[in-house]
Amino acid sequence: MRKMIIAGNWKMNKDIKETFDFLLPLKNNLIGQNLNVEVVVCPPFTSLFIASDILRETNIKIGAQNMFYEVEGAYTGEISPKMLKSVRCEYVILGHSERRRYFGETDEIVNKKVKKAIEFGLKPIVCVGETLEERENGETFKVLEKQIKGVLEGLTYEQMRNVVIAYEPVWAIGTGRNATPDQAQEAQRFIRELVAGLFNDGIAQNLTIQYGGSVTPENAYSLLSQPDVDGALVGGASLKVDAFLKIIKAGETASVEKKN
């Protein structure tokens, strides 16, 4: 059974006090529960240490929003995988469309980051997705194939066991316009079949593929109940405790139903 992962990408939001005010009630609501989903929070770098401290000895995992592909050196402003491990990060988001759009990241750069993350025991959440223009031109599968082949180039079967893929249609990120359940399922089934061809069916069937893009408490269950949707990478709704908890609950319900 594939692991259902609900991850909150806070982006450039929440200072240290706001992090504390969010995580304490989240922790109190989830503590002691035997969850059927893996819950991950991805604060900004400045809040990783306090987040790690607050969530110590809980089942809630810590993730970072980015990292560089070198371990140390003269790379002003960058964060290394070694640094992320030192604050108990287990996950790192790589290749988000906002990194590609604003900071010029390419599939080749993301590929280098993925390999370095795995080398240091981090689980990369690798983002892929098409723009609205590409979807309207019927190029969704073409774009996804190019991105998947690029970001996974040269990975071994063993390394692939640590990879999570997040399908995030760019046109749905922060727009309030999410993919329909059928659109999400179609794209994520394509990704799984593509990975099966690149590696093998065992790798593909065990690969967690999240959906991301305007996930809300209202649409979460309909998305997460799809056969090839194995979780959510949540943006805006992950900034509010009640909303994030409702999405986690939707994931719980969908996960139990899939097991049965």
Side-chain angles (χ1 to χ4, degrees):
M1 183 66 191
R2 294 189 292 271
K3 182 184 295 183
M4 177 86 73
I5 301 175
I6 307 296
N9 176 15
W10 292 5
K11 306 188 180 184
M12 197 174 70
N13 292 288
K14 297 193 184 298
D15 60 19
I16 290 176
K17 181 183 183 302
E18 290 166 331
T19 298
F20 181 88
D21 291 343
F22 178 95
L23 290 180
L24 198 59
L26 181 72
K27 171 183 174 180
N28 290 338
N29 272 277
L30 297 179
I31 197 165
Q33 294 191 34
N34 185 22
L35 298 173
N36 289 288
V37 302
E38 182 131 294
V39 178
V40 184
V41 292
C42 302
F45 292 130
T46 51
S47 290
L48 286 174
F49 182 81
I50 189 173
S52 174
D53 189 52
I54 294 169
L55 299 178
R56 192 180 299 273
E57 299 180 359
T58 74
N59 290 330
I60 305 170
K61 309 299 184 183
I62 300 292
Q65 298 176 26
N66 186 35
M67 51 154 266
F68 195 49
Y69 50 74
E70 296 290 353
V71 180
E72 57 187 16
Y75 305 104
T76 301
E78 291 295 337
I79 298 288
S80 77
K82 179 182 177 182
M83 294 171 182
L84 297 183
K85 289 296 290 185
S86 73
V87 289
R88 297 179 55 248
C89 280
E90 295 188 36
Y91 288 87
V92 58
I93 300 170
L94 298 175
H96 193 281
S97 64
E98 291 159 0
R99 296 295 314 174
R100 295 172 185 261
R101 177 182 176 186
Y102 298 121
F103 305 103
E105 292 193 5
T106 63
D107 293 333
E108 292 73 21
I109 290 172
V110 177
N111 177 251
K112 292 170 73 172
K113 292 184 176 187
V114 169
K115 290 173 180 175
K116 189 59 68 172
I118 295 171
E119 180 183 329
F120 275 78
L122 292 163
K123 298 173 184 175
I125 298 175
V126 188
C127 301
V128 296
E130 79 284 6
T131 65
L132 180 59
E133 181 181 8
E134 289 165 341
R135 172 165 281 275
E136 290 179 341
N137 289 338
E139 298 175 343
T140 295
F141 292 164
K142 177 182 177 181
V143 171
L144 290 178
E145 181 172 1
K146 178 181 181 296
Q147 290 177 339
I148 291 290
K149 286 182 176 180
V151 299
L152 302 183
E153 173 68 29
L155 266 66
T156 67
Y157 286 27
E158 189 61 34
Q159 287 173 319
M160 277 298 299
R161 299 181 191 281
N162 295 295
V163 171
V164 176
I165 291 177
Y167 169 60
E168 290 204 308
V170 179
W171 48 271
I173 298 172
T175 63
R177 175 182 177 183
N178 65 290
T180 67
D182 286 345
Q183 287 173 326
Q185 167 59 22
E186 179 184 48
Q188 299 193 199
R189 182 181 63 225
F190 173 81
I191 291 170
R192 199 175 307 283
E193 291 173 350
L194 179 60
V195 170
L198 294 173
F199 296 92
N200 60 41
D201 192 58
I203 294 293
Q205 292 305 317
N206 285 293
L207 175 68
T208 294
I209 307 176
Q210 299 174 299
Y211 170 79
S214 297
V215 178
T216 67
E218 292 71 32
N219 63 32
Y221 173 75
S222 63
L223 290 162
L224 295 169
S225 60
Q226 297 301 308
D228 287 291
V229 179
D230 310 314
L233 184 56
V234 187
S238 73
L239 299 175
K240 300 176 182 178
V241 176
D242 289 347
F244 195 46
L245 284 169
K246 288 176 182 177
I247 293 171
I248 292 168
K249 184 176 180 180
E252 279 276 293
T253 302
S255 181
V256 170
E257 290 177 353
K258 288 179 182 182
K259 286 181 179 179
N260 295 331

